Amino acid sequence: MNNETTKKEMNISLGVVHDVGRNVSPSMTVYVKDPKPRFEKYYTLKRDKVNVTRIILGSHTGTHVDAPSHFLPKDKSIDEEPLSKFIGEAVVIDLSKCKTQHNSFGITDVDLEQYSSIVNPNDILLLNTGTGKRLIRFAYLEISAARWILANKIKSVGIDTLSIEKYGSKDAPVHKLLLSHKIGIIENLNNLLKFVNKRMFLVCLPLPLRGVDGSPARAILLEMIK
Amino acid sequence: MNNETTKKEMNISLGVVHDVGRNVSPSMTVYVKDPKPRFEKYYTLKRDKVNVTRIILGSHTGTHVDAPSHFLPKDKSIDEEPLSKFIGEAVVIDLSKCKTQHNSFGITDVDLEQYSSIVNPNDILLLNTGTGKRLIRFAYLEISAARWILANKIKSVGIDTLSIEKYGSKDAPVHKLLLSHKIGIIENLNNLLKFVNKRMFLVCLPLPLRGVDGSPARAILLEMIK
C-alpha cells in the first residue's frame, strides 16, 4: 500500500469511452424477487408523432449504486450522496480464481492483500470475479475483506456480481459495515476483465432520485495519461 | 469560431464535482401529460430488513438525453448512442436576455452568433435561458438556431428548459434536424447560470435502456486545468 496523497488533478484521454455497465432490459437478470424492468410505450410516433416510454425499474437493477439508506435507517438516500465517491482513480483486480480456491466463493482479506502493492488510499477498488451473470452462486465479500477495505482507506468498491453480499444473507454485515463507514458500493458492473491490473478513471453516475435507497447508474472508464 | 482540432487529452480538476442535473421526485415538473415519477416502497427495513424501491419514470423526465428514436422512426435508441457525444468540453452561454428581446422566447441564429468567438467545433453547447421551471412559456430554439448549431459543428446541445422545441410544436423540426444530423440533445439541465461564459468538462450519462427513446441522465461539470 503506497501512501500517496490524493491527486487533485488528472490528465485523461478522451479517445475511448469504456462502458462498464450493463444494458437494462425486461429480459435482464435481477436479484431474486426484485422488480423486473418494464418499458411501456406511452406515446408512439404513429399515433402521437413522438416516442415516449414509461420506465419501471428497481432501485437496485442493472449496474447501480447503493445508498446508505438501503440498509441503514435514517441514513442518506441516493440524492444526498456526494458524487465524488464514485468519480476518481480506480484499480481493477482479478478475483476470478477465488471461485476455484473457495467453494463458497467468498473473497477474503487474504485475497485482497495480494494486490496491496497496486492499491492506494482513496482508490475506487473494482473487483472482477467472473461470476457476474449468476443468480445465486456468485462471488461476494467476506467480512474480513470488508475490514481490509476500511483499513486500506478505499473510497468505493465495485463488483461485477448482483451483490457484494453472500446470496441470502439476512443481516447484510458487509453492506452495513461499508455503508456505515461511508464507503461507496457499486454493484453489477460489466466488462471488467480487460482492465485487470490497470489503473483507470471511473465515472459512475446514479440518478438523483429523492429519498430513494439506491439508483441504476451508468459507469464508464477513461484512460489516464501519466 | 476558432478552428482548433479536437483535443484528445484533458487535464481536469477533481476538487469539486458540479451537479447540473435536477433531482427527480414525484413533485417535480414534467412536460405536460408526460408520466409523473413515482417511487413505490417494494421492500422496507422494518418488514424485510432492506429498503428497495420500485421506480416509475418517463423516459424524458428530469435531466435527460433524447435518443434519435424519440422522433425518427427506426433510428438509434438510447442504449445505442455513443457516450462520447455527451462527454467533453462544454461552453455555457447566457441567453436569458432573449426572453425580454423576443416575446416568443425563441432563440435565433443571431442570438448564438454573438458567442461565436468562444465556441469551437466539437464543443458541447450549454444554454442558460433562465426559464427552466416554466411548464409552457420556456425558451426554445428556432430552426435558424438549430441550423447555426449544425453549421458550427457543435457535438451536442444542452438546455435548462423542458424542451429545446417550442411548446406545443407538432412537427418538432428542431429535434428532427438535430437528431438526424447526430447532434446530441440534453434537456432540463439545472444550475447553469454560474458557469456562463466558462469552458468546463461535461459528463452526462444516460442509462442504457434497451430500445428506449431517451433516458433520465446525471450530468456533471468538472473544471479544466489549462
Side-chain angles (χ1 to χ4, degrees):
Chain A
M1 175 69 65
N2 302 322
N3 271 307
E4 288 180 11
T5 53
T6 304
K7 280 187 199 162
K8 293 285 182 215
E9 297 183 19
M10 186 162 299
N11 200 11
I12 54 171
S13 163
L14 298 178
V16 189
V17 176
H18 301 281
D19 197 344
V20 288
R22 289 195 196 277
N23 269 17
V24 176
S25 75
S27 62
M28 78 186 304
T29 301
V30 297
Y31 198 86
V32 175
K33 295 188 185 170
D34 258 23
K36 279 265 182 189
R38 209 164 77 211
F39 303 149
E40 299 174 350
K41 288 185 192 301
Y42 194 80
Y43 292 132
T44 63
L45 271 177
K46 202 166 181 180
R47 192 186 58 201
D48 311 293
K49 292 191 171 183
V50 62
N51 284 318
V52 171
T53 304
R54 189 168 174 267
I55 299 157
I56 297 154
L57 271 181
S59 50
H60 300 263
T61 292
T63 304
H64 68 276
V65 171
D66 287 358
S69 68
H70 187 34
F71 281 106
L72 305 174
K74 295 181 187 163
D75 210 327
K76 280 184 177 162
S77 53
I78 195 66
D79 55 311
E80 296 170 323
E81 278 284 89
L83 287 176
S84 55
K85 278 165 79 164
F86 311 105
I87 299 171
E89 281 195 48
V91 61
V92 183
I93 67 175
D94 187 29
L95 297 160
S96 59
K97 285 177 188 148
C98 293
K99 63 186 170 186
T100 50
Q101 281 169 358
H102 313 299
N103 284 330
S104 67
F105 305 97
I107 297 162
T108 67
D109 56 344
V110 176
D111 297 320
L112 298 181
E113 184 62 24
Q114 294 176 53
Y115 295 94
S116 63
S117 65
I118 61 167
V119 177
N120 296 331
N122 208 40
D123 272 355
I124 298 165
L125 185 63
L126 301 180
L127 312 175
N128 179 67
T129 77
T131 63
K133 286 192 166 176
R134 298 187 187 181
L135 196 56
I136 291 174
R137 286 174 63 80
F138 50 77
Y140 58 90
L141 299 185
E142 298 280 6
I143 195 75
S144 69
R147 287 196 193 107
W148 188 95
I149 285 167
L150 286 187
N152 286 280
K153 302 191 191 317
I154 301 302
K155 181 163 80 170
S156 286
V157 59
I159 198 165
D160 60 352
T161 64
L162 291 177
S163 180
I164 53 161
E165 198 88 46
K166 184 174 186 177
Y167 177 77
S169 164
K170 287 288 174 227
D171 292 321
V174 169
H175 275 91
K176 286 176 184 168
L177 184 65
L178 295 178
L179 293 173
S180 65
H181 286 84
K182 304 187 194 303
I183 315 290
I185 300 176
I186 307 166
E187 291 168 328
N188 212 356
L189 289 160
N190 197 14
N191 290 325
L192 294 180
L193 181 59
K194 63 179 138 179
F195 305 104
V196 160
N197 294 331
K198 288 190 179 155
R199 184 164 280 276
M200 305 286 290
F201 182 64
L202 175 80
V203 183
C204 173
L205 298 181
L207 298 178
L209 306 172
R210 193 175 296 165
V212 176
D213 44 74
S215 173
R218 193 81 182 248
I220 58 167
L221 293 176
L222 299 172
E223 281 157 43
M224 301 191 309
I225 296 160
K226 273 149 204 150
Chain B
M1 174 69 60
N2 300 323
N3 271 309
E4 288 180 11
T5 53
T6 305
K7 280 186 197 161
K8 293 285 180 215
E9 296 182 21
M10 186 162 299
N11 200 12
I12 55 172
S13 163
L14 298 178
V16 189
V17 176
H18 301 281
D19 196 345
V20 287
R22 289 194 195 277
N23 268 16
V24 176
S25 75
S27 63
M28 78 186 305
T29 302
V30 297
Y31 198 87
V32 175
K33 294 188 187 170
D34 259 21
K36 278 264 184 190
R38 210 164 77 212
F39 304 148
E40 299 174 350
K41 287 185 193 305
Y42 194 79
Y43 292 132
T44 63
L45 273 177
K46 203 167 183 180
R47 193 186 57 200
D48 311 293
K49 292 191 169 181
V50 62
N51 285 318
V52 171
T53 305
R54 189 169 176 266
I55 299 157
I56 297 154
L57 270 181
S59 50
H60 300 263
T61 292
T63 305
H64 67 277
V65 171
D66 287 357
S69 67
H70 187 34
F71 280 107
L72 305 174
K74 294 179 190 168
D75 210 327
K76 281 185 176 159
S77 53
I78 195 68
D79 55 312
E80 297 170 323
E81 278 284 270
L83 287 175
S84 55
K85 278 165 78 163
F86 311 106
I87 299 171
E89 280 195 48
V91 61
V92 184
I93 67 174
D94 187 29
L95 297 159
S96 59
K97 285 180 188 148
C98 292
K99 63 186 170 184
T100 47
Q101 280 170 357
H102 312 298
N103 283 330
S104 66
F105 304 97
I107 297 163
T108 67
D109 56 344
V110 176
D111 297 319
L112 298 182
E113 184 62 24
Q114 293 176 53
Y115 295 94
S116 63
S117 64
I118 61 167
V119 177
N120 296 330
N122 208 39
D123 273 354
I124 298 166
L125 185 64
L126 301 180
L127 312 175
N128 178 68
T129 77
T131 63
K133 286 193 165 175
R134 298 188 187 180
L135 197 57
I136 290 175
R137 286 174 64 80
F138 50 77
Y140 59 88
L141 299 185
E142 297 280 6
I143 195 76
S144 69
R147 288 197 192 106
W148 188 94
I149 285 166
L150 286 188
N152 286 279
K153 302 189 192 319
I154 300 303
K155 182 163 79 169
S156 285
V157 59
I159 197 164
D160 60 351
T161 64
L162 291 177
S163 180
I164 52 162
E165 198 87 47
K166 184 173 185 176
Y167 177 77
S169 163
K170 288 287 172 226
D171 292 321
V174 169
H175 276 89
K176 286 176 184 169
L177 184 65
L178 295 177
L179 293 173
S180 64
H181 286 83
K182 304 185 194 305
I183 315 292
I185 299 175
I186 307 166
E187 291 168 330
N188 212 358
L189 289 161
N190 197 15
N191 289 327
L192 294 180
L193 181 60
K194 63 179 137 180
F195 304 104
V196 160
N197 293 332
K198 287 189 179 154
R199 185 165 280 277
M200 305 288 288
F201 182 62
L202 174 81
V203 182
C204 173
L205 298 181
L207 298 178
L209 306 171
R210 193 175 297 164
V212 176
D213 44 74
S215 173
R218 193 81 181 246
I220 59 166
L221 293 176
L222 299 172
E223 280 156 45
M224 301 192 307
I225 296 161
K226 273 150 205 149

